[in-house]
Amino acid sequence: MKRNKFCMKKIIICILLCCIISTPVLGISNSLTFQENISLPGNEYYLPSPQFIEMSLEESIMRRASMRNFTDEPITDEELSTVLWSAFGLRNDGKMTIPEINNTHAVVIYVLLEDVYRYNPMNHSLILYKEGDYRDIVGWQYSAPVQLCLCWNTDIADANFGSTELGCVGQNIYFAANAIGLGTVITAEIPSPISIIGLPENESGMGVMPLGHLEIDYNFKYRPMLFSLLPRVSFSDTSLTTVLETRDEVKSWDNNTMSRVDLSYLIWSSYGYSYYLDESNSGAVERHHTVPSAHGYYPFRIYAATKFGVFRYIYGLYNIDRWGLPVVSFLLAVKLGDKRSDIALATEQFVSDAPLDIIIVLDIDKTNKWDDLSNESMRWIWYYEAGAAAHNVLLQATSRGLAGNIIPVNDKESICSLLSLNKEKFDPMLVVAVG
Ligand SMILES: Cc1cc2nc3c(=O)[nH]c(=O)nc-3n(C[C@H](O)[C@H](O)[C@H](O)COP(=O)(O)O)c2cc1C
């Protein structure tokens, strides 16, 4: 009897040990563990609720930086859930966390883990798309535990509008990742390596964003510019999650005025410099822009049109400054008088009623410094950046209690003529009407 009891004990211990050893095989301590391991029919897995990100929008924008070296440490379900919801999540009011571009959404996100999943924002789940680990092939530039593939539906949007929307998605991924201690960078190649996973015929891959824990942590020092001709931007009480939950698109405004402070926040968010100096990259000191830029070209000009005139945003004269001294930002008058109805003729009628129209114009000559990205067929790369800048403005508007809309420029020639720009050398891409 004693012997039998001893045997039973041994068997139970063996079973327990087997369970512990086999859990990674069962996927329980994999890089992805689904909520209570519920597997829906058709290999669909619910993600847990996203974390609430307390960091203010302004701080998130100032901490945006491209990070490229990641550890092997897995991303938790909660972290992945937070980043995906921020990227292109469904809100409580039925809207998405990014605005519609051209009145539609065309975003598709594939999530590369040990297998390939497609993110379903409608019920915040991952659907198994394909078995097999494609992370190091598709995301060959930077090895990371998760690779996010940003794609768009070609039945719904062309490459330019698809990339504009993905620019909004990319910003949210940068902000959320940074706020929860992860890192990322938008990467894009021609042709896109995303096609290796075998996309449906009506989808196209635009960019890959590795997501991981950082080998060397963020190292930011708060150094606002000592001199600024525009009112200072400070951190608000509005959290990133609140802004993502409440951003609204409007086409009419109560009044026709825009305060200098609001104007300063909005224009800064589009393309300004961070107030942080970044020393994360082995001694090099950088001051990041509020958006990323392919090859760091930063080829855009930003204009602000109010009832008083049209002004060019000079976002800084230098960017290498340890002490924050030489970066001076200001608005340069280009045309005096109310020109908003001219901008409306080139875009949409309601633009003329907005207290502020921000015009995002590509300076084509600045897109070919050492790798020529100036060709019309490459314009989608720049639409990504324009979309990122425009999205920042809408988020910043939300934080200031304002709202707006992103409108593509139909009549580019008229906008060039208004801004006295050579239409062969400049491409006005988007207008953000806000108030
Ligand atoms: C459309 C686009 C494509 C990019 N492609 C790559 C890329 O393939 N590889 C890379 O390391 N960085 C890429 N970047 C990131 C830029 O190099 C980076 O934004 C720029 O150097 C500025 O640095 P920051 O984002 O840290 O401020 C890309 C950025 C954009 C907007």
Side-chain angles (χ1 to χ4, degrees), residues 64-68 141-142 174 185-189 206 208 278 281 286-298 380-382 384-385 388:
R64 191 215 59 80
S66 297
M67 305 303 277
R68 297 179 170 85
Q141 284 199 44
Y142 307 109
Y174 267 109
V185 52
I186 174 68
T187 68
E189 292 155 62
M206 184 264 146
V208 178
D278 177 9
N281 285 322
E286 287 176 88
R287 196 184 272 278
H288 298 278
H289 279 269
T290 54
V291 294
S293 182
H295 291 320
Y297 281 172
Y298 290 102
W380 58 270
I381 292 176
W382 305 114
Y384 176 97
E385 190 171 327

Side-chain angles (χ1 to χ4, degrees), residues 196-415:
I196 295 168
I197 65 171
L199 291 174
E201 258 179 27
N202 64 341
E203 288 177 16
S204 201
M206 184 264 146
V208 178
M209 297 185 79
L211 182 70
H213 292 270
L214 298 171
E215 257 175 24
I216 300 172
D217 212 357
Y218 291 106
N219 183 4
F220 290 114
K221 295 215 163 60
Y222 185 72
R223 296 278 185 278
M225 298 126 203
L226 289 187
F227 302 115
S228 176
L229 303 181
L230 289 165
R232 281 261 163 83
V233 171
S234 51
F235 300 158
S236 68
D237 294 334
T238 319
S239 70
L240 178 61
T241 299
T242 304
V243 168
L244 295 180
E245 266 286 356
T246 56
R247 186 216 72 253
D248 200 11
E249 279 80 75
V250 299
K251 295 188 176 180
S252 62
W253 294 268
D254 285 347
N255 66 50
N256 196 15
T257 51
M258 166 71 51
S259 75
R260 236 170 78 77
V261 174
D262 284 339
L263 172 60
S264 175
Y265 273 73
L266 294 166
I267 202 100
W268 165 79
S269 69
S270 70
Y271 219 56
Y273 278 116
S274 171
Y275 290 10
Y276 281 123
L277 289 181
D278 177 9
E279 298 185 8
S280 319
N281 285 322
S282 52
V285 180
E286 287 176 88
R287 196 184 272 278
H288 298 278
H289 279 269
T290 54
V291 294
S293 182
H295 291 320
Y297 281 172
Y298 290 102
F300 281 90
R301 286 192 184 189
I302 309 290
Y303 293 86
T306 66
K307 61 182 174 185
F308 300 113
V310 182
F311 307 86
R312 182 174 164 196
Y313 175 45
I314 307 296
Y315 48 78
L317 296 180
Y318 302 95
N319 67 341
I320 303 167
D321 63 312
R322 278 194 83 89
W323 304 279
L325 200 69
V327 181
V328 181
S329 53
F330 54 95
L331 292 176
L332 195 65
V334 173
K335 285 251 160 92
L336 292 179
D338 192 348
K339 306 292 175 201
R340 291 171 298 167
S341 49
D342 297 347
I343 301 167
L345 286 177
T347 52
E348 285 197 45
Q349 192 45 49
F350 66 83
V351 164
S352 63
D353 299 328
L356 171 68
D357 290 329
I358 291 181
I359 315 169
I360 301 173
V361 183
L362 179 69
D363 180 345
I364 299 167
D365 279 352
K366 287 195 169 173
T367 61
N368 57 8
K369 260 183 243 162
W370 46 274
D371 187 7
D372 190 352
L373 302 175
S374 63
N375 197 286
E376 188 84 41
S377 64
M378 311 268 202
R379 215 40 67 82
W380 58 270
I381 292 176
W382 305 114
Y383 269 99
Y384 176 97
E385 190 171 327
H391 181 58
N392 277 7
V393 175
L394 287 193
L395 295 182
Q396 188 62 73
T398 312
S399 171
R400 303 290 307 164
L402 307 169
N405 223 301
I406 299 174
I407 311 106
V409 175
N410 302 321
D411 182 353
K412 293 173 184 254
E413 207 173 321
S414 298
I415 296 285

Side-chain angles (χ1 to χ4, degrees), residues 48-88:
S49 300
Q51 285 165 257
F52 190 95
I53 300 176
E54 297 281 357
M55 187 181 283
S56 73
L57 172 76
E58 293 76 15
E59 184 167 8
S60 297
I61 296 180
M62 288 195 192
R63 290 173 61 93
R64 191 215 59 80
S66 297
M67 305 303 277
R68 297 179 170 85
N69 298 308
F70 310 101
T71 67
D72 294 338
E73 187 183 338
I75 300 295
T76 66
D77 291 8
E78 202 187 26
E79 288 166 341
L80 185 58
S81 159
T82 305
V83 172
L84 285 173
W85 179 82
S86 305
F88 186 52

Side-chain angles (χ1 to χ4, degrees), residues 32-46:
L32 184 72
T33 57
F34 299 107
Q35 192 185 32
E36 294 160 16
N37 283 337
I38 300 168
S39 173
L40 299 172
N43 287 325
E44 190 168 8
Y45 304 92
Y46 285 124

